[in-house]
Amino acid sequence: MTHESYHIYGEDRPSRWIITIDHARNTVPSEVNGGDLGLAAKDMERHIAYDIGALGVGLKLGELMNAPVIASNFSRLVIDPNRGPNDPTLIMRLYDGTLIPANADIDDVEEERRKECYYSPYHQALNKLADSRDDPIIVAMHSFSPQLNGKAPRPWEIAILHAAHDRRNLGPHVIKRLEGEGDLNVGDNEPYHGHLPGDSVDRVALQKDRMNALIEVRQDLIVDEPGQHAWAERLAPVLTDALDQSGY
């Protein structure tokens, strides 16, 4: 049986908004080293394997905004859908101090197989979903670790990533709207900088002049369903207001 590389929820919802969750799950397909990357179970539950809480936030946000949601069904350690196909970090050998045994000696044949079976079908489905909407708005839902090994704690509750050259980026409008609430430390291209060439938002939005926003919520705030739903309920009006304020 072929592994399903993605799931789409609410595909028939009519909204222009499309919620994407690139790092939704920590699933390792059985065809990849027997479904085991060689990591301890506790490591597969860490942020290195998936974006903790992002799926729950994204699914609830999709419900609230009457928008379809597309979520990957493979761990970012199998292959990272938020990297360009030629990015050297597409398949990680080492992540936040943890070696990935099943990736250490991966050859070109296995890399191409993972692209063909998991990476490409996800992106093809995402593009098909976006093409089915008039002037779609892509909302990429992610989460970030409160602290990396050996690094300082990250103070932001939420962060918005955006590319300076993107003329239809909702990011700055979302940041302004969030800061207006007065009780949040909002990261502006923190703890990461903008977009990478060939990443998911670049491919489905920037290269096609589509409106977009990339949202990162700190993982300790969304580890359970109440936290996930609370953040989705907070973000839905923020996004709607930011769109109104943008004039796009």
Side-chain angles (χ1 to χ4, degrees), residues 64-202:
L64 293 169
M65 302 188 74
N66 204 20
V69 179
I70 181 168
S72 68
N73 189 34
F74 53 92
S75 171
R76 69 196 304 169
L77 296 178
V78 172
I79 190 166
D80 194 334
N82 195 34
R83 295 291 183 272
N86 299 313
D87 192 301
T89 63
L90 181 67
I91 298 178
M92 296 289 282
R93 277 73 167 172
L94 175 71
Y95 197 169
D96 195 22
T98 299
L99 291 167
I100 319 301
N103 293 348
D105 298 316
I106 187 172
D107 58 21
D108 291 344
V109 173
E110 174 61 9
E111 180 171 329
E112 287 302 314
R113 191 195 70 79
R114 294 189 196 183
K115 285 181 182 178
E116 181 180 343
C117 293
Y118 318 124
Y119 180 94
S120 293
Y122 172 76
H123 281 287
Q124 288 164 3
L126 172 52
N127 276 289
K128 182 178 179 181
L129 186 61
D131 288 343
S132 72
R133 301 289 193 281
D134 290 331
D135 199 16
I137 309 168
I138 308 300
V139 177
M141 193 70 235
H142 292 263
S143 67
F144 65 93
S145 173
Q147 184 174 11
L148 296 180
N149 286 329
K151 303 293 185 181
R154 290 164 162 173
W156 313 279
E157 289 92 4
I158 187 170
I160 308 299
L161 309 189
H162 53 97
H165 65 278
D166 180 14
R167 75 176 187 89
R168 302 190 78 201
N169 190 351
L170 287 177
H173 302 282
V174 176
I175 291 170
K176 183 177 180 180
R177 173 63 171 77
L178 287 168
E179 289 179 338
E181 299 200 348
D183 63 341
L184 291 173
N185 189 338
V186 182
D188 183 347
N189 278 337
E190 298 281 2
Y192 315 110
H193 292 289
H195 295 294
L196 297 171
D199 70 10
S200 191
V201 170
D202 182 48

Side-chain angles (χ1 to χ4, degrees), residues 28-38 102 110 113:
V28 180
S30 59
E31 315 93 83
V32 177
N33 200 46
D36 187 347
L37 293 173
E110 174 61 9
R113 191 195 70 79

Side-chain angles (χ1 to χ4, degrees), residues 17 57-58 61 64-65 139 141-142 158-160 174 177-178 181 184 215-217 222 228-242:
W17 299 92
V57 177
L61 188 60
L64 293 169
M65 302 188 74
V139 177
M141 193 70 235
H142 292 263
I158 187 170
I160 308 299
V174 176
R177 173 63 171 77
L178 287 168
E181 299 200 348
L184 291 173
I215 300 171
E216 298 256 6
V217 180
I222 53 173
Q228 294 160 12
H229 286 191
W231 272 95
E233 288 162 2
R234 189 168 195 173
L235 285 169
V238 165
L239 288 166
T240 301
D241 290 349

